[in-house]
Amino acid sequence: MTGSGGTRPAVFAVWALTRSLLLLCLVKVVTLPGPDVTSDVSVIYHGWFDVLRSGSYPQSDITWQYPPVAALAILSPALLPFLDYASAFFVLAFLCDALVLGLLLYAGRGARRRYAGAWVWVAGVPLLGTTAYARYDVMVTAVAVAALLAGVRHPRALGALAAFGALLKVWPVLLLAGTARGRRSRLAWTTAAGVALGLLVLCTAAAPGALAFVGFQRDRGTEVESLGALVFHVARQFGWQGRVELHYGSLEFLGPHVPLVSTLSLGLSVLAFGWLLVWRMRARTFGVSTTADAAFTAVLLFTTTSRVISPQYMLWLVGLAAVCLVFRESRMAWPSALVLVATGVTQLEFPLGFGHVVSSDATGVTLMFLRNGLLVAASLLACARLWQETVRLPAGPLPAGRAPAEAPLSRAGSPDTPASAS
């Protein structure tokens, strides 16, 4: 996985083969067991497409739980009017996948870079299966990858793309968690705030219902694939009198003690946020990979503690892990490996074994403990490594590529020099 010239053709060949298989599954030349993952595109997304074209957000549909710029992703198949909606969406998802690969290959060049990140992306997407192309998360992930890679030299680009991504699906705001204190953070955060405000004003003025998603997200409960749901998967074995129903767009547990577990999940997310604040205040040095490492860790924490862990969320983690492993100094290799394994298990539980998960039988419970256990392990390991690399560095000269948190921003240095990584 080095930066040798012979690696790129191998990466591209494996990518082309795996993506061809994905497309064959999406158009049903090859059929897989389990629920049809393409229905969200052909039914739900297409329905939103018709509403958005009429000049309004789907404010009467509680399953519309996305920030206003998500409308661009839903409307994007109009760029290919010669295809039906679902086919156009899959083609655009494929192109975003190709864009991420191209960015990772380009970024992997250089003495202190590597192609391991491209390999992570090539492997991770097919491990998730057809879900990777049947949700718009691949588009959001492409924005996040571009933001982190551009941000190595251009903090304003990081801020602008992070803001755009956050108004696509919220989580890219966490890309700003690891920017070095000082001028780089000021440039990135002020740019992000300005871009986000401008986009919100534009979307609100363009169509009614731009902020309807806020209330719909607030009212979500404990989804059957979440960490908190393990309580009820086990409780069902001992006679818990709850049920699983479609609620706010996903299958959730409803019944006794569900609100309590949902509140505890929110509490875990608050604790995760608190840890990130403490880390940021204590971090002493920032290397060229720190922004990506911190973003990966932050998204891991909030994904793992969320009341909802939909299968497509794994794509976010795969993309961020891929960016981390572009940099030789990153110590996120083992957390990234755990995420890849968890992504493979995710395809086993959805769509292949989703019936087992919904019924909480032995197979379903085992799959959920395994997948969520891997996410917990990856989160804890990522936190430990980020802390060790930025807070508890050994005494002596700083490792190559690392700089004090308050080092000045270089205007002309290489992205691999300490000055530009500060």
Side-chain angles (χ1 to χ4, degrees), residues 41-59 61 64 71 73-78 84-85:
V41 176
S42 58
V43 178
I44 299 175
Y45 284 13
H46 197 184
W48 291 340
F49 174 83
D50 291 334
V51 174
L52 288 164
R53 283 202 306 175
S54 72
S56 172
Y57 284 89
Q59 53 188 326
D61 185 349
W64 175 259
I74 303 303
L75 291 169
S76 62
D84 65 85
Y85 183 87

Side-chain angles (χ1 to χ4, degrees), residues 65 213-222 247-248 252 307:
Q65 299 168 8
F213 77 99
V214 176
F216 298 154
Q217 276 286 357
R218 180 194 59 222
D219 296 332
R220 297 192 77 168
T222 298
H247 192 240
Y248 283 90
E252 297 180 359
R307 293 170 295 170

Side-chain angles (χ1 to χ4, degrees), residues 218-278:
R218 180 194 59 222
D219 296 332
R220 297 192 77 168
T222 298
E223 188 253 350
V224 295
E225 296 164 279
S226 66
L227 184 64
L230 295 177
V231 173
F232 301 111
H233 284 299
V234 173
R236 282 177 124 184
Q237 316 306 313
F238 298 93
W240 177 70
Q241 297 301 309
R243 63 196 185 279
V244 174
E245 288 186 5
L246 186 65
H247 192 240
Y248 283 90
S250 62
L251 287 172
E252 297 180 359
F253 280 115
L254 300 175
H257 311 300
V258 172
L260 173 61
V261 171
S262 297
T263 301
L264 291 174
S265 294
L266 287 173
L268 285 177
S269 295
V270 171
L271 287 175
F273 181 72
W275 183 90
L276 283 171
L277 285 179
V278 172

Side-chain angles (χ1 to χ4, degrees), residues 328-362:
R328 289 188 180 277
E329 75 168 42
S330 175
R331 298 191 65 229
M332 293 296 161
W334 274 109
S336 298
L338 292 173
V339 163
L340 285 178
V341 177
T343 303
V345 176
T346 298
Q347 184 175 185
L348 293 180
E349 61 92 356
F350 182 90
L352 302 182
F354 198 55
H356 296 288
V357 173
V358 172
S359 64
S360 299
D361 65 17

Side-chain angles (χ1 to χ4, degrees), residues 16 19 29 52 75 91 93 98 102 105 121 132 139 144 177 194 255 264 274 404 414:
R19 277 35 174 196
V29 172
L52 288 164
L75 291 169
V91 168
L105 287 174
W121 182 253
M139 302 174 183
L264 291 174
S414 159

